Amino acid sequence: MLKATTIVRRPAVRADRVADTIELDHAGRTAPAASLTTSGGLSVEVALPKAGALEDGDALRLEDGRLVVIRAGAEDLLEVRAENPARLMRLAWQLGGNHVPAEIGGDGLHVPASPATAELIRGQGCTATPVRRAFRPEKMAHDHSNCGHDHGHDHHDHGHSHDHGHAHDHGHAHDHGHSQGHDHDRHGHSHDHDHDHGHGHGH
């Protein structure tokens, strides 16, 4: 069995390296199975060094350097429409609050088909039509780094730590030290200095 140990993101996929494709639904792309079968019948063992969701167009790099491209497979969805954009926006907000993934189009939404979701949609005054198609939902904010989870997360943390440290050490500590030092320590120092200086001058 061929082993795949690396995810190659779509912009870096080279057409001349592609050996085959694998169709996966959204759940299969989010948490890839330990073994997959390509469209051409190749068995692939997925042994990624860290967990990472696959996106439509990404590829798995095999040990021999060849690539297997991931395609979004068709699945049961609900096509959501509303009579006005505001109602659709309110529904999208509700879906997000319930952690329901959604693919946002120009005039509607597509969400996974389920009785609970259909009830929520109708409760917001929108229509839900069953369809079967590929599902490419928007990335959740906390999943933004999935293209390279560790790198994105570290970068965010670095930025946060840097900003926080900078503001705390440079801004807060500096203002605090300067203000307090100026009002208390420096005042005392200046007072002593002037006093000594004046005393010396008198002599």
Side-chain angles (χ1 to χ4, degrees):
M1 181 182 289
L2 297 167
K3 183 180 290 187
T5 57
T6 307
I7 297 174
V8 178
R9 297 304 177 185
R10 181 168 52 186
V13 173
R14 290 176 48 184
D16 60 338
R17 291 282 187 177
V18 175
D20 212 335
T21 61
I22 295 176
E23 277 199 7
L24 297 173
D25 61 13
H26 178 244
R29 298 194 307 274
T30 301
S35 62
L36 299 170
T37 302
T38 68
S39 300
L42 296 175
S43 294
V44 177
E45 177 187 351
V46 181
L48 302 175
K50 58 180 179 291
L54 295 165
E55 300 292 337
D56 183 39
D58 289 346
L60 293 171
R61 179 185 284 125
L62 304 178
E63 290 177 301
D64 59 8
R66 292 182 298 165
L67 302 178
V68 176
V69 174
I70 304 301
R71 297 297 182 201
E75 53 190 291
D76 293 327
L77 304 172
L78 295 175
E79 183 177 88
V80 184
R81 305 280 181 176
E83 61 185 17
N84 62 69
R87 182 164 288 180
L88 198 63
M89 287 175 65
R90 281 195 296 270
L91 173 62
W93 185 84
Q94 291 275 349
L95 292 168
N98 285 280
H99 304 288
V100 176
E103 180 179 338
I104 300 174
D107 56 356
L109 307 174
H110 284 90
V111 297
S114 76
T117 302
E119 184 178 349
L120 175 62
I121 292 168
R122 286 191 292 269
Q124 291 296 313
C126 301
T127 61
T129 305
V131 295
R132 186 168 178 81
R133 65 188 284 280
F135 184 42
R136 303 176 183 88
E138 305 299 315
K139 293 180 183 178
M140 302 293 260
H142 62 269
D143 290 338
H144 177 70
S145 54
N146 272 348
C147 283
H149 179 76
D150 290 343
H151 175 74
H153 186 69
D154 291 346
H155 179 73
H156 177 71
D157 280 354
H158 174 72
H160 176 73
S161 299
H162 176 73
D163 293 343
H164 178 73
H166 181 75
H168 179 74
D169 296 339
H170 181 70
H172 178 70
H174 178 73
D175 291 345
H176 179 73
H178 179 72
S179 300
Q180 187 177 358
H182 180 73
D183 293 340
H184 179 72
D185 297 334
R186 283 198 175 185
H187 180 70
H189 175 72
S190 299
H191 177 75
D192 293 342
H193 178 73
D194 293 343
H195 178 75
D196 293 344
H197 180 72
H199 183 73
H201 182 70
H203 278 78

